[in-house]
Amino acid sequence: MTSTSIFTPEGMYRFAGKLVVPCLVSAAIVALIAFYLGFFVAPVDVTQGNSYRILYIHVASAWMAMLLYVLMAIFCILGLVTEKKLWPMIAASLAPTGALMAFLALWTGSLWGRPTWGAYWVWDARLTSALILFFFYLGYLALQNAIPDWRRADKACSVIGIVGVINVPIVYFSVQWWNTLHQGASLTSSGSSIHPIMLTALLVMVAAFWLYTFGATFARLRSIILEREKGEEWAQELALKGEL
């Protein structure tokens, strides 16, 4: 009997199929709650006015961009060490969403920077390192699509995934290591300098982004699994039953 463990392509395909819709629907609901809290309940900032509200999206997407790259690098390492087929598939499924989050962070950051700094872009240490992170994502995606043999593509992309993760702590600690225009962290191990309702709105937005990430990643992973496993008996059986 074919194994249906979640750690096999078949098992993951079936598991992911059960979660795509619940995750995406939940993401939409939680995002609406976050928007309501952030744009209608949270007070106006005393120094930045209403322009600070873009930070609910900016900060959440920036956190996600860094965390997803770390996750992608972990699955790249697992793929190289174990030579299991599933891990590189998960890494490849995470990359587009990570790139989207990196783009959102850069875009919303520029919208916030214009009224705050007087410019959409400055070659600040935080901004520059975040841009490099976005380029790593793009490089991973480009290489993944440029190599027809997915086994070779996975190994080549793993190099980008592992090397690029070095940039993540640079992005995070850049405001501490160098003098930058970008403000420092408002959330630290010693506490928070954010108004409680603002912090709640931000954390709810992060939850919405995580739910979206799960839904989008699972949907993309199912497509990748089917593409690579289409010759397997279980995939052909699903095709015959019309359950794909």
Side-chain angles (χ1 to χ4, degrees), residues 66 124-130 167-184:
M66 290 186 285
D124 176 270
R126 169 63 65 83
L127 274 67
T128 303
S129 55
N167 186 55
V168 173
I170 296 176
V171 176
Y172 185 79
F173 292 109
S174 57
V175 293
Q176 300 178 30
W177 293 345
W178 298 285
N179 292 322
T180 71
L181 284 174
H182 199 285
Q183 68 186 58

Side-chain angles (χ1 to χ4, degrees), residues 155-173:
K155 291 181 179 180
C157 288
S158 293
V159 175
I160 294 181
I162 296 169
V163 171
V165 79
I166 298 172
N167 186 55
V168 173
I170 296 176
V171 176
Y172 185 79
F173 292 109

Side-chain angles (χ1 to χ4, degrees), residues 3 10 13 25 52 62 66 79 122 137 151 162 166 211 217 233 242:
S3 173
E10 179 186 359
Y13 178 86
V25 171
Y52 89 95
M66 290 186 285
V122 293
Y137 273 120
R151 295 176 184 82
I162 296 169
I166 298 172
L211 287 167
T217 300
E233 182 179 351

